[in-house]
Amino acid sequence: MTTVDVMTVRVRFPPSPTGHLHVGGARTALFNWFFVRKHQGVFVLRIEDTDRDRSNSEHSAAILESLEWLGIDWDEGPYFQSDGVERHRKEVRHLLEKGLAYRDFGDPERLINDRVNAKTDGTEKREPRRQAELISREESEKKALAGEPHAIRFKVPEGQTLWSDLVHGEMKFENADIEDLVILRSDGSPTYNFAVASDDAYQTITHVIRGDDHLSNTAKQILIYDAMGWTKPFFGHVPMILGGDGKRLSKRHGATSIQAYKEDGILQPALINFLALLGWSPGEDLEFMKVDELIDKFSLERVLKKGSIFDLKKLEWLSGKHFDSTSAEEIATLLSPRLNLAGLATEDELSSKNDWYLALIDLLKTRSRTVIDLVELSKPFLKKEIDFEEEAIRKHWMKDQDRARRILVELNAVLGEADWQADELESRIRLFASDKGLKLGQVIHPLRVAVTGREASPSIFEVLYLLGRTCVLERIGIAIDYLESSAGEGEL
Ligand code: GLU
């Protein structure tokens, strides 16, 4: 029997609103979401806003927006951790009364700064039993009543803390290596390890799936569960995301916020696909997957134990694959506002020639990896004036300027009479090349530069077709003028 056969799965994603949603957080949210959707459970969103100095509502809003964009929907919440502070304090008092926690009247300044780092790497060593613990209960009560500032520490019991991790298997921590952690600061605020355990228990979370930087926190939280008599969830720790240099992913490695990828025009399903493969693989060398397939194939058993490398090249590759398989209509909704913003066409203009616009997207999307690529590729089709790439002119016109000019002059006549269909244009141009004893490339390269200004484009016949006769002939005319100055005479 697996862990999920007997219960309604309840997972949580508890971001701290101290910044944007980053790749690591999004990946963790996604693994929770795949898992819960697969098992028809409940996804709880909780904003961990107890760090008043660093949390703010703009960050919360930005995180929610990124989750929404990714399509990670929640069934409960957002709850705010700060709403539970009274409950946290009551629970801490309970531990105090039971002798499972004690007051520490050390230097209050130091205590506030002594916040147990939520993401310690497991290296902390237990300090010798604190003086604080040694004062009598009566004395402790008296000092507290007199208003002496103090923090409250959890009294770590002797022994070992064990759990069976859903990713890492059997885990064991020596309690002697765990310090008596502060659970309530002298300013009355609960620390991460206490608040998170309390909220997970209160919200009856069944599976805590989070980054493996939390392994040592899990040991502490299990001790709190046991002391409080709460039912423990299953824990699964997913591996860290690493930069190309093998170090933990950070800003040094490039953009890490989800917002940045959205702005760069990466397609949402591509980012989901990419994040899914950071620390998980369905096997069979399968990489390109849409969200339904990811949910279907996802399992915690196949989450890797080791960190996985964030490979931007792979993201671009996946993004290209998702472009190929996304309909022109869907892409249009993302592209139109960007074309508008770039001053290339208003949304009204685009919708007035919708069939043409969708055909253009179909033509260009196979060459695009981002919506920004598409904007760039659309320019020769939407801008009146054409921007010539110097390299394209040098290579395909100036190497034999006279021949380029003569080809364009003759093509002008051929295309002037052609029936304006891509296949008809193709057979006309092929025939023209063979009649003149030219290779097809010798004809279409100068033509491409004339009508797009660029060295590369999708099928030139489709390009001509979409540009339309008037525009093509006008551009060829401009090219001829340009080449005229020093061109000679003669047969092709
Ligand atoms: N608020 C914590 C964080 O963002 C939550 C960690 C956890 O999943 O327990 O790191």
XYZ file of all heavy atoms in Angstrom, residues 180-226:
368
model
N 18.997 23.653 21.123
C 17.679 24.001 21.665
C 17.198 25.239 20.917
O 17.531 26.372 21.268
C 17.780 24.312 23.175
C 17.925 23.047 24.004
O 17.835 21.939 23.423
O 18.136 23.180 25.222
N 16.402 25.015 19.906
C 16.070 26.132 19.018
C 15.088 27.110 19.648
O 14.214 26.715 20.412
C 15.513 25.605 17.690
C 14.328 24.661 17.729
C 13.416 24.926 16.557
C 14.822 23.213 17.695
N 15.261 28.373 19.287
C 14.304 29.399 19.714
C 13.007 29.124 18.966
O 13.014 28.918 17.750
C 14.820 30.814 19.378
C 13.740 31.862 19.630
C 16.062 31.139 20.191
N 11.898 29.064 19.685
C 10.609 28.898 19.000
C 9.771 30.180 19.080
O 8.923 30.404 18.224
C 9.827 27.657 19.513
C 9.721 27.645 21.037
C 10.480 26.376 18.995
C 8.928 26.446 21.574
N 10.015 30.973 20.119
C 9.329 32.274 20.190
C 10.386 33.329 20.520
O 11.096 33.198 21.517
C 8.250 32.241 21.271
C 7.167 33.305 21.154
C 6.240 33.017 19.978
C 6.333 33.368 22.439
N 10.470 34.341 19.677
C 11.484 35.376 19.897
C 11.046 36.298 21.034
O 9.864 36.305 21.412
C 11.696 36.202 18.631
C 12.157 35.381 17.452
C 12.447 36.271 16.249
N 12.678 35.445 15.085
C 11.739 35.197 14.165
N 10.545 35.735 14.256
N 12.010 34.408 13.149
N 11.984 37.094 21.495
C 11.639 37.974 22.625
C 10.605 39.027 22.212
O 9.923 39.601 23.047
C 12.899 38.642 23.181
O 13.541 39.335 22.144
N 10.461 39.262 20.901
C 9.410 40.208 20.482
C 8.053 39.503 20.314
O 7.098 40.081 19.798
C 9.817 40.918 19.173
C 9.975 39.946 18.003
O 9.709 38.730 18.187
O 10.354 40.391 16.904
N 7.995 38.248 20.725
C 6.706 37.529 20.711
C 6.389 36.881 19.372
O 5.313 36.309 19.192
N 7.324 36.933 18.430
C 7.024 36.315 17.130
C 7.572 34.895 17.073
O 8.660 34.628 17.583
C 7.600 37.174 16.000
O 9.005 37.217 16.105
N 6.805 33.991 16.472
C 7.267 32.607 16.386
C 8.355 32.476 15.320
O 8.374 33.241 14.359
C 6.011 31.852 15.947
C 5.204 32.859 15.205
C 5.497 34.188 15.837
N 9.239 31.527 15.497
C 10.271 31.312 14.475
C 9.727 30.384 13.391
O 8.701 29.718 13.578
C 11.530 30.678 15.086
O 11.136 29.461 15.699
C 12.188 31.607 16.082
N 10.439 30.347 12.281
C 10.021 29.523 11.140
C 9.704 28.085 11.551
O 8.638 27.556 11.230
C 11.119 29.542 10.055
C 11.021 28.357 9.130
C 10.012 28.282 8.172
C 11.897 27.269 9.259
C 9.881 27.173 7.345
C 11.770 26.165 8.447
C 10.766 26.115 7.490
O 10.631 25.009 6.700
N 10.650 27.435 12.240
C 10.463 26.001 12.505
C 9.215 25.729 13.346
O 8.558 24.716 13.151
C 11.698 25.417 13.195
C 12.740 25.031 12.173
O 12.441 24.296 11.223
N 13.949 25.542 12.328
N 8.915 26.632 14.243
C 7.709 26.392 15.039
C 6.451 26.698 14.233
O 5.526 25.883 14.157
C 7.711 27.205 16.350
C 6.602 26.744 17.243
C 6.782 25.626 18.048
C 5.357 27.359 17.218
C 5.734 25.133 18.816
C 4.308 26.880 17.988
C 4.497 25.761 18.795
N 6.435 27.867 13.608
C 5.220 28.285 12.900
C 4.884 27.310 11.774
O 3.717 26.976 11.547
C 5.415 29.692 12.345
N 5.906 26.833 11.087
C 5.641 25.968 9.932
C 5.094 24.609 10.391
O 4.160 24.063 9.799
C 6.906 25.841 9.029
C 7.864 24.775 9.526
C 6.532 25.582 7.589
N 5.654 24.093 11.481
C 5.159 22.809 11.982
C 3.722 22.979 12.475
O 2.838 22.165 12.182
C 6.059 22.305 13.112
N 3.505 24.074 13.204
C 2.168 24.332 13.730
C 1.152 24.450 12.602
O 0.073 23.848 12.643
C 2.208 25.635 14.549
O 0.890 26.066 14.806
N 1.493 25.218 11.572
C 0.534 25.436 10.476
C 0.314 24.168 9.665
O -0.804 23.884 9.235
C 1.008 26.574 9.563
C 0.908 27.933 10.249
O 0.487 27.957 11.433
O 1.244 28.943 9.621
N 1.377 23.428 9.445
C 1.209 22.182 8.682
C 0.293 21.224 9.445
O -0.550 20.553 8.849
C 2.570 21.530 8.402
C 3.344 22.272 7.309
O 2.720 23.044 6.548
O 4.568 22.089 7.219
N 0.467 21.194 10.776
C -0.391 20.316 11.579
C -1.832 20.845 11.578
O -2.788 20.100 11.350
C 0.142 20.218 13.002
N -1.964 22.150 11.780
C -3.289 22.775 11.870
C -4.055 22.631 10.552
O -5.266 22.417 10.533
C -3.080 24.262 12.205
C -4.339 25.045 12.459
C -5.099 24.808 13.615
C -4.743 26.038 11.576
C -6.249 25.548 13.860
C -5.893 26.777 11.813
C -6.645 26.519 12.964
O -7.781 27.250 13.207
N -3.328 22.730 9.465
C -3.981 22.629 8.148
C -3.998 21.187 7.633
O -4.213 20.942 6.458
C -3.293 23.589 7.154
C -3.603 25.044 7.496
C -2.636 26.057 6.896
O -1.723 25.714 6.163
N -2.845 27.328 7.228
N -3.743 20.267 8.531
C -3.755 18.819 8.268
C -3.088 18.434 6.948
O -3.635 17.717 6.115
C -5.194 18.227 8.324
O -6.010 18.906 7.360
C -5.810 18.348 9.701
N -1.878 18.952 6.810
C -1.073 18.625 5.628
C -0.606 17.169 5.754
O -0.124 16.756 6.813
C 0.137 19.600 5.529
C -0.339 21.047 5.421
C 1.075 19.212 4.391
C -1.252 21.354 4.248
N -0.766 16.418 4.682
C -0.363 15.007 4.741
C 1.027 14.779 4.164
O 1.712 13.840 4.536
C -1.352 14.117 3.962
O -1.384 14.560 2.585
C -2.744 14.182 4.567
N 1.438 15.642 3.208
C 2.738 15.464 2.555
C 3.446 16.807 2.473
O 2.929 17.726 1.841
C 2.575 14.907 1.141
C 2.048 13.501 1.107
N 0.738 13.200 1.396
C 2.666 12.336 0.821
C 0.581 11.878 1.300
N 1.730 11.334 0.950
N 4.598 16.875 3.123
C 5.410 18.093 3.032
C 6.512 17.820 2.011
O 7.393 16.994 2.243
C 6.012 18.453 4.410
C 7.076 19.542 4.275
C 4.908 18.911 5.368
N 6.403 18.486 0.877
C 7.398 18.281 -0.189
C 8.124 19.617 -0.358
O 7.499 20.636 -0.681
C 6.706 17.872 -1.515
C 5.899 16.597 -1.296
C 7.740 17.701 -2.634
C 4.903 16.298 -2.417
N 9.414 19.622 -0.086
C 10.158 20.886 -0.155
C 11.621 20.591 -0.467
O 12.035 19.440 -0.558
C 10.016 21.653 1.155
C 10.551 20.914 2.344
C 10.274 21.678 3.642
N 10.469 20.820 4.797
C 9.924 21.042 5.988
N 9.157 22.095 6.186
N 10.142 20.224 6.983
N 12.401 21.653 -0.615
C 13.802 21.508 -1.005
C 14.626 20.804 0.067
O 14.324 20.888 1.266
N 15.698 20.122 -0.362
C 16.461 19.368 0.638
C 17.385 20.256 1.472
O 18.091 19.778 2.342
C 17.173 18.157 0.030
C 18.193 18.525 -1.010
O 18.556 19.699 -1.089
O 18.631 17.607 -1.739
N 17.331 21.572 1.242
C 18.003 22.481 2.174
C 17.240 22.522 3.499
O 17.724 23.100 4.469
C 18.133 23.900 1.569
C 16.829 24.442 1.014
O 15.917 23.641 0.733
O 16.712 25.670 0.865
N 16.060 21.913 3.524
C 15.263 21.899 4.750
C 15.416 20.607 5.550
O 14.719 20.420 6.548
C 13.779 22.124 4.423
C 13.470 23.554 4.098
N 13.456 24.547 5.043
C 13.187 24.158 2.926
C 13.160 25.703 4.474
N 13.005 25.497 3.184
N 16.318 19.716 5.118
C 16.423 18.424 5.820
C 16.652 18.595 7.327
O 15.985 17.941 8.134
C 17.562 17.592 5.214
C 17.186 16.807 3.936
C 18.445 16.304 3.231
C 16.256 15.639 4.259
N 17.569 19.508 7.683
C 17.848 19.630 9.125
C 16.681 20.317 9.846
O 16.441 20.064 11.027
C 19.159 20.377 9.369
O 19.055 21.687 8.875
N 15.944 21.156 9.135
C 14.751 21.747 9.744
C 13.694 20.681 10.001
O 12.958 20.751 10.988
C 14.155 22.816 8.824
C 14.968 24.097 8.843
O 15.523 24.445 9.876
N 15.061 24.767 7.716
N 13.609 19.715 9.101
C 12.605 18.665 9.282
C 12.846 17.919 10.587
O 11.900 17.606 11.321
C 12.625 17.711 8.063
O 12.229 18.476 6.931
C 11.674 16.541 8.248
N 14.128 17.674 10.893
C 14.423 16.985 12.158
C 13.861 17.807 13.331
O 13.201 17.269 14.236
C 15.919 16.801 12.296
N 14.075 19.115 13.294
C 13.591 19.980 14.378
C 12.064 19.977 14.426
O 11.455 19.920 15.493
C 14.080 21.410 14.167
C 15.581 21.540 14.271
C 16.036 22.921 13.828
C 17.554 22.975 13.796
N 18.050 24.146 13.092
N 11.471 20.026 13.261
C 10.006 20.092 13.214
C 9.381 18.787 13.716
O 8.354 18.796 14.388
C 9.543 20.440 11.798
C 9.906 21.886 11.435
C 9.793 22.196 9.956
O 8.995 21.594 9.253
N 10.593 23.141 9.487
N 10.041 17.677 13.417
C 9.518 16.391 13.906
C 9.535 16.374 15.436
O 8.587 15.901 16.081
C 10.335 15.221 13.301
C 9.934 15.055 11.823
C 10.141 13.933 14.094
C 10.686 13.988 11.073
N 10.594 16.938 16.013
C 10.672 16.999 17.481
C 9.513 17.834 18.037
O 8.925 17.503 19.071
C 12.009 17.595 17.923
C 13.227 16.702 17.676
C 14.526 17.474 17.909
C 13.167 15.472 18.587
N 9.171 18.904 17.322
C 8.053 19.754 17.767
C 6.726 19.006 17.629
O 5.886 19.019 18.536
C 8.054 21.088 16.990
C 9.299 21.903 17.390
C 6.774 21.889 17.256
C 9.563 23.136 16.534
N 6.538 18.313 16.508
C 5.321 17.507 16.340
C 5.163 16.538 17.504
O 4.081 16.395 18.076
C 5.402 16.656 15.060
C 4.975 17.346 13.784
C 5.908 17.998 12.989
C 3.653 17.323 13.360
C 5.539 18.617 11.807
C 3.269 17.942 12.176
C 4.218 18.596 11.406
O 3.847 19.201 10.240
N 6.273 15.853 17.812
C 6.195 14.845 18.873
C 5.875 15.484 20.216
O 5.042 14.986 20.971
C 7.507 14.047 18.940
C 7.639 13.095 17.749
O 6.599 12.836 17.079
O 8.757 12.625 17.461
